[in-house]
Amino acid sequence: MGRLKRMLAYRHFDRDAAILGLLLAIALFPLRFFASQIYIKTIPLVLGTACILYLLTLRFEGGDTAGHPTLPVGLSRILPSIVFTGIAGLIMIASLGGGRVSVFFDVSSIIGVLILFQILFAPDEDIRPRWVLAQIVAFAVVLRLSALFTSPGYIGIDIWTHMEQLARPIYEQRSLSAISGDKHYAAPFFHLLVVGVAILLEVSLRDALYLSLGLAMPFAVLLIYSTTRLLVATRWALFAAAIYGVGDYVLEWGIHLIPTSHGLLMFLAVLYAMVRVMQTEHELKDLVLLLFFSIALILTHQVSSFIMMVVVGSAVVAQIILRLDLFKPDAVRPDAVSFTPAVNLSGLLVFDAGFITFMWSFTPYRGNSFLETVLNYLTRTLADTAGFLNLASGSGAGSSAGAGSGPTLVEQIALYVDTIGFLLLLFIAIVGCLYILRRERSRHSVFTLLIASVIMLVFVLGLPMFGIRNFIPQRWFAFLYAPLAIMGAIGVRHMSFNLYPKVVVAVMLIFVLIFPGMMVMSSHGAIDNPVFDQDRARLSYTEQELDAVYTVGAMTGRPDSEEIRPNEVIYTDHPYQTVFFRSDTYMADAAVVNDTGPVTHDVVMYRAAQNEEATFFQNYPEGSNVSVAKIRNIPQDRLCRVGMDNLYSNGDVVLCSNGAI
């Protein structure tokens, strides 16, 4: 054992990991010939390139090629004024255009480039952290609030359930017992926050949501900045905050405001408190703050609580690894440096695990406890559907192509726009993770972030490759972006001082010029008004579309679903049909629109978006009795057939019936 320890004392774990990562990328590359999933095609390239680039930094490290390229002083000093002018322009564009239109996303991309350009290339003496932070926060605020306050209704799908079926009953009855049969009864902080603000300020529930969580979400970048600042210099903390602020999934949960959004905010607070405890001479108040945020998170959102458990568990694993002394410099090494001991967080892990188990054991969910239901669902998945490359169809990918046909050019472009931002973030994060494997960089905090990133990537990308999507991987991305942004800042810092200046400039320019635009134009960050509106569904609704929903409710008296006969159900497109039953207005479903043959539903609702934008309908492929969701652009007379009565019309939406209602 002692001999093995002495051998490992001289190992360069960062170099070994880079070589293993390169070999893994080569081994994974052939999978592209067996599956067409976007991440299977791209992750090996990203991993291999990052490992090669890191090995190059080792080759040139310490040489006279090192140095951080900077902008001319005059240019770096006028960039803040240009950025603030552009942000003001975004407000005007959103106001005049009635929302985040195409020009808004174009200008947003340019502003994101200018902010990153300023952070990465301004001379040290011209970096004014407060001014740069002000730009980042102002940009984050405008990106989100311009969507919230220009949309006449809520943005997203789940938000209608949380506001109309959960928050509203609590508000009306002034009691949490109004949702006693729902799983959020044991995690009610989101709904209590909205209802409390509505009562306190005497505003509507919608305004209360936007004035509370809607205003708070943009300031999450400050938590990323504060966390990263505990680890690296100011420039790189600003960089981490900037790239996190424009993250597509982060934007999504800043616009689609549901318990996931609130959970994300609490998660970032837990992450900051935990890194602070591990990185500084902490006091009792720091531990109390960490415990407080973890309890608040558990009482906010179940998925977010599990993600927090992954990070806390990663801290314990990192503590065990560091205590094995594999990374600790000792007397056998002449270049030994000081070593910071790991902090014992096993008590926090045990407490959180026990509290979560206790809460989930009596949380109602689908007739059983939440814990029992989740475990049964996972067991069935492992037994029935799990298997290598048993990939679920990618959500958000265009589905308009016929069966057996390949994706169109627009569908391919939209798909890569949705993924390139994440791939760039993953690329710089891999470099950062390799860098902190160095013995002299061994710290409990960064080791925790590294291990957490790897485990979270397994849940997000690894398990879905085997058909296991029980953990709702789409909800993880915004949480995953936090450690990736911090690791990415460390990686870019390392590259900037250990590569030829021309290579550094090339890498930074590629990232700066591409990353902001891909993120803000991604369908996840633009759910209110997708850039590729023929391939991505719009999850916001016009005044006419919402007026049709409310009018149906008024006409029918908002009957319970069991009171509605099958021939009285309204059939329309998805996602529009979700607004009806999630707002407790009326029962609706997605219409069946096959490639050939007439629509046979008795009651249908047509809206102009069905002929102009990406809207989904159920479709039965030839020879199959299983329906699939498919994008269709259909004219009005395809749904509202000859002989049907027009019960309602407002110029944009038409309700037709053959006499069923």
Side-chain angles (χ1 to χ4, degrees), residues 164 549-550 552-560 563 583-586:
E164 298 298 332
V549 174
Y550 300 141
V552 167
M555 290 168 56
T556 59
R558 295 176 176 262
D560 294 332
E563 299 176 2
S583 62
D584 274 341
T585 300
Y586 197 82

Side-chain angles (χ1 to χ4, degrees), residues 24 128 146 158 164 187 205 238 256 261 353-354 363 370 584 637:
L24 178 61
R128 295 178 174 83
S146 58
D158 292 351
E164 298 298 332
L205 288 175
L238 294 170
H256 186 193
S261 310
T363 299
F370 182 82
D584 274 341
D637 57 10

Side-chain angles (χ1 to χ4, degrees), residues 182-400:
D182 188 86
K183 68 176 181 177
H184 295 92
Y185 179 71
F189 274 12
F190 168 84
H191 308 92
L192 292 180
L193 171 68
V194 176
V195 171
V197 172
I199 295 174
L200 182 64
L201 300 182
E202 298 182 347
V203 296
S204 67
L205 288 175
R206 178 174 178 268
D207 290 342
L209 175 65
Y210 292 172
L211 293 175
S212 55
L213 191 59
L215 286 177
M217 289 303 295
F219 290 90
V221 296
L222 296 179
L223 290 170
I224 294 294
Y225 170 80
S226 300
T227 305
T228 314
R229 187 65 187 87
L230 294 170
L231 304 173
V232 291
T234 301
R235 181 193 298 269
W236 312 109
L238 294 170
F239 177 75
I243 60 177
Y244 190 79
V246 297
D248 51 358
Y249 285 94
V250 183
L251 287 171
E252 178 178 0
W253 302 125
I255 297 171
H256 186 193
L257 298 170
I258 58 175
T260 302
S261 310
H262 198 179
L264 176 61
L265 200 60
M266 292 293 99
F267 171 82
L268 296 178
V270 169
L271 188 66
Y272 166 73
M274 190 163 61
V275 172
R276 180 180 176 84
V277 166
M278 293 186 289
Q279 192 69 17
T280 64
E281 294 291 336
H282 61 275
E283 301 176 2
L284 178 60
K285 63 180 182 180
D286 298 314
L287 294 172
V288 172
L289 186 66
L290 175 57
L291 182 62
F292 169 79
F293 283 133
S294 64
I295 294 174
L297 178 54
I298 294 171
L299 296 175
T300 299
H301 189 226
Q302 285 90 3
V303 175
S304 304
S305 303
F306 185 79
I307 298 174
M308 177 192 68
M309 283 288 296
V310 169
V311 176
V312 176
S314 301
V316 175
V317 172
Q319 170 195 341
I320 295 173
I321 294 176
L322 291 176
R323 288 189 174 181
L324 293 176
D325 292 344
L326 296 179
F327 289 85
K328 182 177 180 180
D330 55 27
V332 302
R333 297 190 64 211
D335 58 341
V337 296
S338 60
F339 183 80
T340 303
V343 178
N344 189 352
L345 292 177
S346 57
L348 178 65
L349 177 63
V350 172
F351 173 82
D352 286 344
F355 190 41
I356 286 176
T357 302
F358 171 73
M359 295 299 297
W360 290 7
S361 63
F362 70 83
T363 299
Y365 189 50
R366 296 183 179 178
N368 292 311
S369 70
F370 182 82
L371 183 63
E372 183 179 359
T373 301
V374 169
L375 291 178
N376 289 339
Y377 181 34
L378 178 60
T379 301
R380 289 198 302 269
T381 300
L382 293 176
D384 300 336
T385 61
F388 184 57
L389 294 184
N390 184 16
L391 302 170
S393 59
S395 61
S399 305
S400 60

Side-chain angles (χ1 to χ4, degrees), residues 153-174:
Y154 299 114
I155 300 173
I157 294 178
D158 292 351
I159 189 172
W160 292 92
T161 298
H162 288 289
M163 297 303 297
E164 298 298 332
Q165 296 185 13
L166 299 175
R168 188 168 298 282
I170 296 174
Y171 177 80
E172 293 174 349
Q173 298 182 27
R174 296 296 199 270

Side-chain angles (χ1 to χ4, degrees), residues 547-574:
D547 180 70
V549 174
Y550 300 141
T551 301
V552 167
M555 290 168 56
T556 59
R558 295 176 176 262
D560 294 332
S561 57
E562 59 268 17
E563 299 176 2
I564 302 174
R565 296 192 299 269
N567 67 325
E568 294 177 339
V569 174
I570 293 178
Y571 286 89
T572 184
D573 68 86
H574 178 85

Side-chain angles (χ1 to χ4, degrees), residues 105 108-110 113 417 512-522:
F105 293 114
S108 297
S109 302
I110 296 173
V113 169
V417 168
V512 167
L513 295 176
I514 297 178
F515 182 81
M518 294 299 100
M519 283 297 192
V520 300
M521 289 191 291
S522 165

